[in-house]
Amino acid sequence: MASVNHIAKLLRPSTIAVIGAAREPNKIGHQVLRNILEAGFPEDKVYPINPKANEVLGLKCYSSVKEIPGDVDLAVVAVPAKVVPQVLRDCAEKGVKAVAIITSGFKEVGNVEAELELVRIANKGGFRILGPNIVGICDTVKGINASFCQGLPLPGDVAFITQSGALAIALVGWTRLKNIGLSDLVSIGNKADIDETDLIEFFGSDPHTKVIIAYLEGISNGRRFMEVAKKVSVKKPIIILKAGKAERTISAIKSHTGSLAGSDIAYDAAFKQSGVLRAKTFLDLFDWGIALSKLPLPSGDNVVIITNGGGAGVVATDFSEEYNLKLMDVPPDLAEKFRKYMPPFGSVFNPIDLTGMATEDWYKGAILEALKDDRVHSVIVLYCHTAVTDPRKIGEAVLQAKKEANVNKPIVVSLIGGTECAEECSRLIENGVPCYESPEKAVSALGALYSYKRGIERIKSVRIPKVSIREDVARRIISKALEEGRTALTPRESAELAKAYGIPVLEKPLARSLEEAIDIAEKIGYPIALEVESPQIIHKTEVGGIVLNVNSKEELKAEYVRMLENVKSKLPEAKIEGVIVRKMAERGKEVLIGMSRDPIFGPLIAFGSGGIMVELIKDVTFRVAPLSLEDVEEMVRETKAYNLLKGFRGEPESDIDVVKDVILRVSKMAEDIEEIKELDINPFFVYEKGKGGLAIDIKVILKGQN
Ligand code: ACO
């Protein structure tokens, strides 16, 4: 577990040793030393280490860190891979607090053992490692460029964590161009020790950072990530671009940094549940980062768009829908006020179209009205560069209106045009107003702000319900199967397990002879269904082991015999324990409730349309267990099955509460019983509101014992 103190020594050290401070200017170690000095770090606190040199860049060289007279907070390592273990042992002896290893040639090329050895040395030595295979660290808070990036980024309050070093290098120049300030830029490389979660935890309590953005190809420990992200995201936004959705990318990632990519569905669910915003593109990371670092949270949903171009307004309107922004219906009194700033052919229907004639004064007047009106909660200003206006004056109008209104309300701007617009955008960003080159970007940035707000409101209101269960009974069923060397439960065992967790199941009485079968059938009444019970048979239909709608004693006699013959001919080695004689359940609406385990995030709970619809329409949604009531509510609502349950085309509403309850119980089971690998309840019949539901078919697969 990384301590925040260790990360502080790594990112904001007071003394730095550069191990491998090469004499030649084009070598990485030399560049790192030069960068540290050029960024203004005090010369007497930097120690070049190179056994072959007496001095580098005018500084006295040491042949080992052990010779440095004072304490060393951070050692940056830029020596070849084979030398790194010895250098780390020296760091351990010296008592260095943190080590950033630039060197490549470890896990990313298959040298897993060599990388593990580095971690062992660090653990023993009581220090933390960043990397290996990194570009280094840029910190604008203390002005430290311990990297081979070309100079420091501009100072700012967005922390950028990246798993790609090359992107880090490239983006430093790009952020300068766009006037985007960063508090830190940290390249995490192979993440042998310090990972994204350690850094998110650090930046979460860092007063210099307002927003955390990250490019990640995989998350090391999904459970810990979620735990930390939930705590941090309520304090400050976390925006992540998680690459690696496509199968091709997944194999590229394995060979790139050797990270294990979890299933994308699980990432989606985990991010949603932790309040993390998932960026779709690189530019989203920064566009959203700027908006979220500069804007206050909106106090309500009403958004007003002010534009001088109809097209820009239409595009923004379309995107508003995509990003769940609510364009306000402008009340007549406010519309009257807007009218003062447009020609008669302008429009006061949101988007407010000031027309191509719009002057800076009209812009300022209209923005001021929107900002001053309490019913307006956020403002989007769009401007298309025309010959009659100057983008610099429009930018100034925005700043003046903001100053005069003196309210804490989100405002985003898009200046659409050439160089003058780009320059003015940059000036607006510098003055605290997020500005973009296209209407889509402005809308998506405001959309991200609203998503963030909704995400944290959800986290703050989370309720984890209590579910009463019989874990002892469930455990006995599982242990018996495992002792018998089975990884699948029989239908009766699965039903018993579900029952132990309070899930309504169809009773499955077992007959060991035809006579017993007749007796049971007479008691429960026809029609009935027959199911073969055998530890070796999971897919009963495929071996003819299930017969539905048996209507009389005669039919029962014939079907009983035929079914057993069928099964025996298809699976002669199967041990048949008997035949389940059960009621034909009244049909209900069919849904699926299930669970599987994701290698990164753990139990993943599924809900969606059931029966044969599963494969056909793939209407399934997922969340990571444990589930809160809010998770379950969202899961149910975001499926098409919900429309069916609510009462489609005049049908009565179904018992949605029983569905939610069963989802929660499956989640609890997944949390409690690690041995369950997969569980499928399909179909679960949902009856009319108040009449409950029934788990009809339940499949439980256990983890094999290794
Ligand atoms: N302690 C200190 N210095 C030492 C030691 C030691 N034990 N042993 C050797 N050195 C010195 C060398 O003498 C040399 O200095 P000199 O040139 O003055 O003699 C210096 O350390 C560097 O050693 P070299 O053998 O010259 O190694 P080189 O500089 O060629 O390469 C490097 C080292 C840069 C770490 C290389 O092995 C490497 O891993 N490069 C890839 C780095 C990288 O790309 N990282 C990932 C970034 S992410 C991305 O995608 C961009």
Side-chain angles (χ1 to χ4, degrees):
M1 187 60 115
S3 77
V4 166
N5 290 343
H6 277 101
I7 308 274
K9 296 285 182 198
L10 173 84
L11 302 181
R12 314 221 169 117
S14 298
T15 46
I16 310 175
V18 179
I19 304 180
R23 290 159 293 180
E24 287 172 41
N26 59 351
K27 287 198 176 182
I28 286 182
H30 186 96
Q31 265 308 325
V32 171
L33 181 64
R34 180 184 291 279
N35 272 344
I36 292 170
L37 295 172
E38 281 184 358
F41 201 77
E43 278 186 10
D44 58 339
K45 304 286 180 207
V46 188
Y47 310 107
I49 314 292
N50 184 342
K52 292 196 189 140
N54 294 324
E55 65 161 57
V56 181
L57 287 168
L59 297 183
K60 170 183 160 48
C61 246
Y62 298 86
S63 55
S64 157
V65 269
K66 293 189 289 185
E67 290 173 10
I68 297 169
D71 286 345
V72 177
D73 286 344
L74 169 66
V76 186
V77 175
V79 292
K82 61 179 188 318
V83 189
V84 177
Q86 184 49 50
V87 153
L88 289 201
R89 280 186 207 104
D90 292 349
C91 287
E93 257 187 67
K94 172 68 189 164
V96 172
K97 310 288 185 311
V99 178
I101 306 173
I102 288 177
T103 313
S104 303
F106 293 93
K107 190 171 79 181
E108 82 283 5
V109 291
N111 283 339
V112 178
E113 187 42 45
E115 189 164 305
L116 288 174
E117 176 61 10
L118 304 186
V119 180
R120 282 193 286 268
I121 299 170
N123 285 345
K124 230 170 123 187
F127 61 86
R128 307 297 314 259
I129 296 177
L130 182 73
N133 191 26
I134 59 167
V135 163
I137 300 152
C138 295
D139 171 78
T140 66
V141 177
K142 278 188 103 167
I144 297 166
N145 183 3
S147 77
F148 61 98
C149 289
Q150 277 193 321
L152 272 179
L154 296 171
D157 43 25
V158 176
F160 179 33
I161 302 163
T162 173
Q163 206 170 339
S164 159
L167 276 170
I169 296 177
L171 284 167
V172 168
W174 184 84
T175 51
R176 271 202 232 111
L177 196 72
K178 294 273 173 186
N179 220 348
I180 300 168
L182 302 179
S183 55
D184 291 84
L185 186 158
V186 191
S187 151
I188 52 178
N190 293 3
K191 308 191 282 183
D193 177 23
I194 292 172
D195 64 13
E196 58 285 336
T197 307
D198 298 323
L199 291 165
I200 288 172
E201 192 173 39
F202 172 81
F203 289 124
S205 52
D206 173 31
H208 306 284
T209 298
K210 281 195 186 156
V211 176
I212 303 162
I213 64 175
Y215 166 79
L216 299 176
E217 291 166 0
I219 279 174
S220 307
N221 178 339
R223 304 297 279 184
R224 187 169 164 253
F225 168 83
M226 286 184 75
E227 194 186 306
V228 170
K230 271 181 202 167
K231 282 191 196 131
V232 171
S233 63
V234 294
K235 290 192 276 180
K236 56 187 84 172
I238 306 169
I239 309 168
I240 297 179
L241 173 63
K242 158 67 183 69
K245 281 188 182 195
E247 285 302 319
R248 274 181 75 87
T249 345
I250 290 170
S251 60
I253 286 171
K254 276 186 194 142
S255 52
H256 182 197
T257 58
S259 69
L260 176 65
S263 80
D264 201 61
I265 283 168
Y267 276 102
D268 255 349
F271 284 7
K272 216 181 271 183
Q273 287 172 267
S274 320
V276 171
L277 296 178
R278 184 164 187 178
K280 291 196 199 99
T281 66
F282 250 110
L283 296 184
D284 282 349
L285 272 185
F286 292 92
D287 291 342
W288 298 358
I290 296 170
L292 276 86
S293 66
K294 300 199 182 301
L295 299 177
L297 286 180
S299 61
D301 287 341
N302 285 338
V303 178
V304 161
I305 299 175
I306 296 169
T307 181
N308 70 341
V314 174
V315 171
T317 306
D318 282 351
F319 270 84
S320 297
E321 207 166 295
E322 193 173 319
Y323 285 94
N324 292 319
L325 291 181
K326 182 182 161 254
L327 296 194
M328 179 198 200
D329 293 327
V330 178
D333 60 315
L334 182 58
E336 271 320 297
K337 289 181 183 160
F338 283 139
R339 278 245 169 261
K340 291 188 281 177
Y341 309 106
M342 61 180 69
F345 47 88
S347 173
V348 288
F349 297 107
N350 203 0
I352 313 298
D353 189 352
L354 309 182
T355 79
M357 291 170 64
T359 62
E360 56 270 21
D361 292 340
W362 287 358
Y363 262 102
K364 184 182 162 193
I367 297 168
L368 203 50
E369 296 295 353
L371 288 177
K372 283 194 312 198
D373 194 304
D374 285 345
R375 294 163 295 182
V376 178
H377 303 120
S378 299
V379 182
I380 300 174
V381 178
L382 308 176
Y383 164 78
C384 301
H385 192 177
T386 64
V388 294
T389 47
D390 178 347
R392 279 164 293 210
K393 291 187 175 158
I394 302 298
E396 193 49 36
V398 172
L399 293 176
Q400 286 305 321
K402 200 171 158 253
K403 198 170 159 201
E404 276 179 40
N406 193 23
V407 287
N408 214 13
K409 211 178 261 190
I411 178 166
V412 292
V413 177
S414 170
L415 302 180
I416 309 145
T419 317
E420 295 100 319
C421 286
E423 282 170 6
E424 186 55 23
C425 242
S426 181
R427 192 177 78 96
L428 282 177
I429 292 174
E430 206 179 330
N431 284 281
V433 177
C435 183
Y436 305 93
E437 65 265 39
S438 73
E440 303 90 291
K441 283 179 166 227
V443 171
S444 98
L446 189 64
L449 185 73
Y450 273 93
S451 296
Y452 171 64
K453 182 178 179 233
R454 291 180 197 124
I456 57 169
E457 278 167 358
R458 196 179 153 287
I459 290 180
K460 283 181 187 161
S461 69
V462 151
R463 293 160 294 161
I464 302 282
K466 279 216 171 354
V467 174
S468 61
I469 47 132
R470 287 290 311 273
E471 196 179 326
D472 54 332
V473 175
R475 288 207 171 276
R476 269 205 298 279
I477 299 167
I478 306 275
S479 306
K480 180 170 171 279
L482 288 175
E483 275 159 24
E484 291 172 10
R486 287 185 284 128
T487 51
L489 298 189
T490 67
R492 262 167 66 85
E493 286 171 338
S494 302
E496 287 304 312
L497 175 76
K499 223 166 110 178
Y501 267 78
I503 296 167
V505 294
L506 204 58
E507 291 295 333
K508 298 207 168 181
L510 187 70
R512 294 179 195 278
S513 65
L514 178 60
E515 290 67 37
E516 270 185 39
I518 294 169
D519 273 358
I520 298 172
E522 303 281 297
K523 260 187 227 133
I524 61 178
Y526 294 96
I528 52 129
L530 302 176
E531 275 179 59
V532 70
E533 172 81 355
S534 162
Q536 285 80 35
I537 303 174
I538 313 163
H539 301 290
K540 290 160 288 179
T541 320
E542 285 155 27
V543 293
I546 185 158
V547 184
L548 303 176
N549 289 315
V550 178
N551 288 309
S552 65
K553 191 170 164 182
E554 285 61 43
E555 272 186 38
L556 168 59
K557 281 183 188 165
E559 293 296 350
Y560 185 96
V561 175
R562 190 163 50 214
M563 185 177 82
L564 290 184
E565 277 173 4
N566 249 335
V567 171
K568 277 179 193 153
S569 73
K570 291 204 173 109
L571 268 184
E573 71 285 3
K575 184 172 164 271
I576 294 170
E577 295 193 337
V579 172
I580 293 165
V581 181
R582 64 162 169 86
K583 257 195 194 148
M584 278 302 299
E586 179 202 337
R587 278 194 97 77
K589 298 278 182 295
E590 298 186 4
V591 296
L592 166 144
I593 298 163
M595 186 281 283
S596 60
R597 287 190 194 269
D598 179 80
I600 308 284
F601 294 101
L604 205 56
I605 310 300
F607 168 74
S609 297
I612 55 161
M613 296 306 226
V614 174
E615 289 302 318
L616 196 68
I617 59 170
K618 294 202 168 67
D619 170 38
V620 193
T621 183
F622 296 87
R623 291 291 187 281
V624 179
L627 299 183
S628 65
L629 289 171
E630 289 71 18
D631 290 325
V632 178
E633 188 73 40
E634 268 181 18
M635 282 178 88
V636 172
R637 279 175 188 272
E638 67 193 29
T639 57
K640 295 195 183 82
Y642 180 64
N643 296 331
L644 198 71
L645 296 176
K646 276 242 314 216
F648 192 56
R649 296 204 165 159
E651 285 194 334
E653 190 178 328
S654 301
D655 203 327
I656 299 174
D657 286 344
V658 79
V659 174
K660 292 183 195 163
D661 186 59
V662 172
I663 298 174
L664 282 170
R665 287 173 189 279
V666 167
S667 161
K668 173 86 176 117
M669 194 192 295
E671 278 286 290
D672 290 348
I673 309 183
E674 268 289 315
E675 292 88 338
I676 302 176
K677 189 174 157 211
E678 285 167 44
L679 176 144
D680 244 2
I681 305 180
N682 183 31
F684 182 87
F685 281 173
V686 194
Y687 300 125
E688 264 180 48
K689 194 171 175 173
K691 293 191 178 162
L694 264 190
I696 302 299
D697 199 1
I698 309 169
K699 283 193 186 66
V700 180
I701 309 291
L702 307 177
K703 287 181 191 166
Q705 282 171 321
N706 300 320

Short mmCIF file of all heavy atoms in Angstrom, two decimals, residues 580-605:
data_model
loop_
_atom_site.label_atom_id
_atom_site.label_comp_id
_atom_site.label_asym_id
_atom_site.label_seq_id
_atom_site.Cartn_x
_atom_site.Cartn_y
_atom_site.Cartn_z
N ILE A 580 -36.89 -35.07 -11.15
CA ILE A 580 -37.62 -34.01 -10.46
C ILE A 580 -39.02 -33.94 -11.06
O ILE A 580 -39.17 -33.93 -12.29
CB ILE A 580 -36.90 -32.66 -10.65
CG1 ILE A 580 -35.56 -32.69 -9.92
CG2 ILE A 580 -37.76 -31.50 -10.19
CD1 ILE A 580 -34.61 -31.58 -10.32
N VAL A 581 -40.01 -33.93 -10.18
CA VAL A 581 -41.40 -33.79 -10.65
C VAL A 581 -41.89 -32.45 -10.12
O VAL A 581 -42.07 -32.28 -8.92
CB VAL A 581 -42.28 -34.93 -10.11
CG1 VAL A 581 -43.71 -34.79 -10.63
CG2 VAL A 581 -41.70 -36.28 -10.50
N ARG A 582 -42.01 -31.49 -11.00
CA ARG A 582 -42.36 -30.15 -10.50
C ARG A 582 -43.55 -29.56 -11.23
O ARG A 582 -43.91 -30.00 -12.32
CB ARG A 582 -41.15 -29.22 -10.61
CG ARG A 582 -40.72 -28.96 -12.04
CD ARG A 582 -39.85 -27.74 -12.09
NE ARG A 582 -39.17 -27.55 -13.36
CZ ARG A 582 -39.70 -26.93 -14.40
NH1 ARG A 582 -40.93 -26.48 -14.37
NH2 ARG A 582 -38.99 -26.77 -15.51
N LYS A 583 -44.10 -28.59 -10.58
CA LYS A 583 -45.25 -27.88 -11.15
C LYS A 583 -44.85 -27.20 -12.45
O LYS A 583 -43.71 -26.76 -12.59
CB LYS A 583 -45.65 -26.76 -10.18
CG LYS A 583 -46.84 -27.06 -9.36
CD LYS A 583 -47.29 -25.75 -8.76
CE LYS A 583 -48.26 -26.02 -7.65
NZ LYS A 583 -48.17 -25.02 -6.60
N MET A 584 -45.76 -27.07 -13.37
CA MET A 584 -45.51 -26.19 -14.51
C MET A 584 -45.80 -24.79 -13.99
O MET A 584 -46.93 -24.49 -13.59
CB MET A 584 -46.49 -26.50 -15.65
CG MET A 584 -46.07 -27.67 -16.52
SD MET A 584 -44.45 -27.46 -17.29
CE MET A 584 -44.70 -26.02 -18.29
N ALA A 585 -44.76 -24.00 -13.96
CA ALA A 585 -44.97 -22.68 -13.39
C ALA A 585 -45.80 -21.82 -14.34
O ALA A 585 -45.65 -21.93 -15.56
CB ALA A 585 -43.62 -22.02 -13.16
N GLU A 586 -46.62 -20.98 -13.74
CA GLU A 586 -47.37 -20.01 -14.54
C GLU A 586 -46.35 -19.10 -15.23
O GLU A 586 -45.38 -18.66 -14.61
CB GLU A 586 -48.25 -19.20 -13.58
CG GLU A 586 -49.09 -18.15 -14.23
CD GLU A 586 -49.49 -17.07 -13.21
OE1 GLU A 586 -49.50 -17.36 -11.98
OE2 GLU A 586 -49.77 -15.95 -13.65
N ARG A 587 -46.54 -18.84 -16.51
CA ARG A 587 -45.54 -18.02 -17.22
C ARG A 587 -45.56 -16.58 -16.74
O ARG A 587 -46.62 -16.05 -16.43
CB ARG A 587 -45.82 -18.04 -18.72
CG ARG A 587 -45.27 -19.26 -19.41
CD ARG A 587 -45.26 -19.06 -20.90
NE ARG A 587 -43.97 -18.62 -21.40
CZ ARG A 587 -42.94 -19.44 -21.56
NH1 ARG A 587 -43.02 -20.70 -21.24
NH2 ARG A 587 -41.79 -18.99 -22.04
N GLY A 588 -44.39 -16.01 -16.68
CA GLY A 588 -44.31 -14.60 -16.32
C GLY A 588 -43.46 -13.89 -17.36
O GLY A 588 -43.05 -14.51 -18.35
N LYS A 589 -43.16 -12.64 -17.12
CA LYS A 589 -42.22 -11.93 -18.02
C LYS A 589 -40.83 -12.52 -17.73
O LYS A 589 -40.45 -12.70 -16.57
CB LYS A 589 -42.22 -10.44 -17.70
CG LYS A 589 -43.56 -9.78 -17.93
CD LYS A 589 -43.73 -9.45 -19.39
CE LYS A 589 -45.02 -8.74 -19.68
NZ LYS A 589 -46.25 -9.51 -19.44
N GLU A 590 -40.07 -12.78 -18.78
CA GLU A 590 -38.80 -13.50 -18.58
C GLU A 590 -37.60 -12.55 -18.51
O GLU A 590 -37.36 -11.80 -19.45
CB GLU A 590 -38.60 -14.50 -19.72
CG GLU A 590 -39.69 -15.55 -19.75
CD GLU A 590 -39.44 -16.64 -20.78
OE1 GLU A 590 -38.38 -16.64 -21.44
OE2 GLU A 590 -40.34 -17.49 -20.93
N VAL A 591 -36.91 -12.62 -17.39
CA VAL A 591 -35.68 -11.83 -17.29
C VAL A 591 -34.51 -12.73 -16.91
O VAL A 591 -34.72 -13.88 -16.50
CB VAL A 591 -35.78 -10.67 -16.26
CG1 VAL A 591 -36.83 -9.66 -16.67
CG2 VAL A 591 -36.04 -11.19 -14.85
N LEU A 592 -33.32 -12.19 -17.07
CA LEU A 592 -32.11 -12.92 -16.69
C LEU A 592 -31.42 -12.17 -15.55
O LEU A 592 -31.32 -10.94 -15.59
CB LEU A 592 -31.17 -13.00 -17.90
CG LEU A 592 -29.72 -13.43 -17.65
CD1 LEU A 592 -29.24 -14.27 -18.81
CD2 LEU A 592 -28.77 -12.28 -17.42
N ILE A 593 -30.99 -12.92 -14.56
CA ILE A 593 -30.18 -12.33 -13.49
C ILE A 593 -28.98 -13.26 -13.33
O ILE A 593 -29.16 -14.48 -13.20
CB ILE A 593 -30.99 -12.24 -12.17
CG1 ILE A 593 -32.21 -11.32 -12.39
CG2 ILE A 593 -30.11 -11.70 -11.03
CD1 ILE A 593 -33.29 -11.45 -11.35
N GLY A 594 -27.79 -12.70 -13.41
CA GLY A 594 -26.64 -13.59 -13.38
C GLY A 594 -25.41 -12.97 -12.76
O GLY A 594 -25.42 -11.81 -12.31
N MET A 595 -24.35 -13.75 -12.72
CA MET A 595 -23.10 -13.29 -12.12
C MET A 595 -21.92 -14.00 -12.77
O MET A 595 -22.00 -15.19 -13.07
CB MET A 595 -23.15 -13.64 -10.63
CG MET A 595 -22.02 -13.12 -9.78
SD MET A 595 -20.49 -14.05 -9.86
CE MET A 595 -20.84 -15.44 -8.85
N SER A 596 -20.86 -13.25 -13.04
CA SER A 596 -19.61 -13.88 -13.46
C SER A 596 -18.49 -13.12 -12.75
O SER A 596 -18.76 -12.11 -12.09
CB SER A 596 -19.44 -13.77 -14.97
OG SER A 596 -19.43 -12.42 -15.34
N ARG A 597 -17.29 -13.61 -12.86
CA ARG A 597 -16.20 -12.91 -12.15
C ARG A 597 -15.21 -12.31 -13.13
O ARG A 597 -14.69 -13.00 -13.99
CB ARG A 597 -15.48 -13.87 -11.19
CG ARG A 597 -16.34 -14.17 -9.99
CD ARG A 597 -15.63 -14.89 -8.90
NE ARG A 597 -16.65 -15.39 -7.98
CZ ARG A 597 -17.08 -14.71 -6.92
NH1 ARG A 597 -16.56 -13.54 -6.61
NH2 ARG A 597 -18.01 -15.22 -6.15
N ASP A 598 -14.99 -11.01 -12.96
CA ASP A 598 -14.04 -10.32 -13.82
C ASP A 598 -12.65 -10.41 -13.16
O ASP A 598 -12.54 -10.25 -11.94
CB ASP A 598 -14.47 -8.85 -13.96
CG ASP A 598 -13.52 -8.08 -14.82
OD1 ASP A 598 -13.63 -8.18 -16.04
OD2 ASP A 598 -12.63 -7.39 -14.26
N PRO A 599 -11.61 -10.68 -13.97
CA PRO A 599 -10.28 -10.84 -13.34
C PRO A 599 -9.78 -9.58 -12.64
O PRO A 599 -8.96 -9.66 -11.73
CB PRO A 599 -9.38 -11.19 -14.53
CG PRO A 599 -10.15 -10.87 -15.76
CD PRO A 599 -11.60 -10.92 -15.40
N ILE A 600 -10.25 -8.41 -13.06
CA ILE A 600 -9.76 -7.16 -12.46
C ILE A 600 -10.67 -6.67 -11.33
O ILE A 600 -10.21 -6.27 -10.27
CB ILE A 600 -9.65 -6.03 -13.51
CG1 ILE A 600 -8.86 -6.47 -14.73
CG2 ILE A 600 -9.10 -4.74 -12.91
CD1 ILE A 600 -7.39 -6.53 -14.57
N PHE A 601 -11.99 -6.69 -11.57
CA PHE A 601 -12.91 -6.05 -10.62
C PHE A 601 -13.68 -7.03 -9.74
O PHE A 601 -14.39 -6.61 -8.84
CB PHE A 601 -13.88 -5.14 -11.37
CG PHE A 601 -13.19 -3.98 -12.02
CD1 PHE A 601 -12.90 -3.99 -13.37
CD2 PHE A 601 -12.79 -2.89 -11.27
CE1 PHE A 601 -12.24 -2.93 -13.97
CE2 PHE A 601 -12.13 -1.82 -11.85
CZ PHE A 601 -11.85 -1.84 -13.20
N GLY A 602 -13.61 -8.33 -10.02
CA GLY A 602 -14.34 -9.29 -9.20
C GLY A 602 -15.74 -9.53 -9.70
O GLY A 602 -16.01 -9.43 -10.90
N PRO A 603 -16.69 -9.82 -8.76
CA PRO A 603 -18.02 -10.24 -9.19
C PRO A 603 -18.77 -9.17 -9.99
O PRO A 603 -18.88 -8.02 -9.56
CB PRO A 603 -18.75 -10.54 -7.88
CG PRO A 603 -17.86 -10.12 -6.79
CD PRO A 603 -16.52 -9.80 -7.32
N LEU A 604 -19.25 -9.59 -11.13
CA LEU A 604 -19.95 -8.70 -12.03
C LEU A 604 -21.39 -9.22 -12.12
O LEU A 604 -21.60 -10.36 -12.52
CB LEU A 604 -19.27 -8.80 -13.39
CG LEU A 604 -19.35 -7.66 -14.37
CD1 LEU A 604 -18.84 -6.38 -13.73
CD2 LEU A 604 -18.50 -7.98 -15.60
N ILE A 605 -22.34 -8.38 -11.76
CA ILE A 605 -23.73 -8.83 -11.73
C ILE A 605 -24.42 -8.37 -13.02
O ILE A 605 -24.25 -7.23 -13.45
CB ILE A 605 -24.47 -8.25 -10.50
CG1 ILE A 605 -23.66 -8.50 -9.21
CG2 ILE A 605 -25.88 -8.81 -10.37
CD1 ILE A 605 -23.38 -9.93 -8.89
#
